[in-house]
Amino acid sequence: MSLTLRLYQPSDATVITSWLKSEYLMRQWCADRYEHYPVTPEDMNRCSERYIDGQRSRALTMVDGCDIVGYITLRIPADDPAEQRLGFVIVDDSRRGCGLGKALVSMAIKYAYEELGATKVSLGVFENNPSAIHCYESAGFHRIPLLETESYKCLDETWNCIEMGQHKRIMK
């Protein structure tokens, strides 16, 4: 594999949205950020145009040679550019179990620290997504207890989020 990250391009949406095989998987990916299933490439590009500004938020596509194999966003969650928050993490569903998720997250963490100057990287993940939780833990994230649990209404259920984070390791 020859994995690299590059900026998201609107033409990527056709491949990325094809990985959302069910509304359940789509909701684990985006919670309530899209109003309906299935998400079309046009929906994804409208969302990207609206929320990805290239400064406070970025969308990145992971490629293996010429093949699109992953997608992730980074954004500043508050007015502190020292923190970057990962979101919309997804990999090619036909290549799950090959380490692509950990590679994507690890590359995004490196990008956040080295290119964006972050000292902290955070994310939220639904507690009903154990494979994603395992992926994030294997990439160095740890659970952060919160006083209040963030929850979303998805598919007539309440889904609770787990907050996770990590700080840049300073080498001496």
Side-chain angles (χ1 to χ4, degrees):
M1 282 194 296
S2 175
L3 301 174
T4 57
L5 274 184
R6 62 161 169 77
L7 292 177
Y8 168 81
Q9 300 167 4
S11 59
D12 299 344
T14 301
V15 173
I16 295 163
T17 58
S18 77
W19 302 332
L20 301 168
K21 302 284 197 250
S22 70
E23 186 171 4
Y24 185 84
L25 291 173
M26 186 267 287
R27 294 289 168 212
Q28 283 187 318
W29 176 64
C30 72
D32 60 358
R33 300 302 190 262
Y34 289 93
E35 292 180 14
H36 59 84
Y37 176 81
V39 175
T40 67
E42 294 78 19
D43 295 332
M44 187 172 182
N45 285 323
R46 269 194 301 277
C47 187
S48 180
E49 287 171 12
R50 187 171 181 187
Y51 296 108
I52 304 298
D53 66 12
Q55 298 299 311
R56 295 184 57 80
S57 55
R58 289 167 176 78
L60 302 169
T61 300
M62 185 171 67
V63 294
D64 181 6
C66 294
D67 297 331
I68 297 168
V69 296
Y71 173 83
I72 195 166
T73 62
L74 292 99
R75 67 178 174 86
I76 298 172
D79 288 328
D80 180 6
E83 181 176 353
Q84 289 286 323
R85 189 159 181 89
L86 303 184
F88 294 88
V89 180
I90 191 167
V91 297
D92 181 342
D93 62 311
S94 73
R95 295 175 63 175
R96 285 217 173 106
C98 300
L100 287 178
K102 182 179 178 181
L104 174 62
V105 170
S106 297
M107 291 168 76
I109 293 166
K110 181 177 179 180
Y111 184 89
Y113 290 148
E114 294 180 6
E115 302 296 323
L116 304 178
T119 57
K120 177 183 179 186
V121 179
S122 64
L123 60 85
V125 59
F126 286 122
E127 62 187 11
N128 67 354
N129 195 345
S131 60
I133 294 166
H134 175 75
C135 173
Y136 302 140
E137 289 173 338
S138 71
F141 283 89
H142 58 276
R143 295 175 192 228
I144 299 172
L146 299 176
L147 295 175
E148 229 174 277
T149 301
E150 187 177 351
S151 300
Y152 291 82
K153 279 299 254 184
C154 295
L155 304 175
D156 297 322
E157 299 174 344
T158 300
W159 290 6
N160 294 325
C161 279
I162 296 169
E163 181 69 13
M164 300 185 86
Q166 65 167 253
H167 286 86
K168 185 175 183 178
R169 294 169 189 83
I170 306 298
M171 300 298 187
K172 296 181 181 180

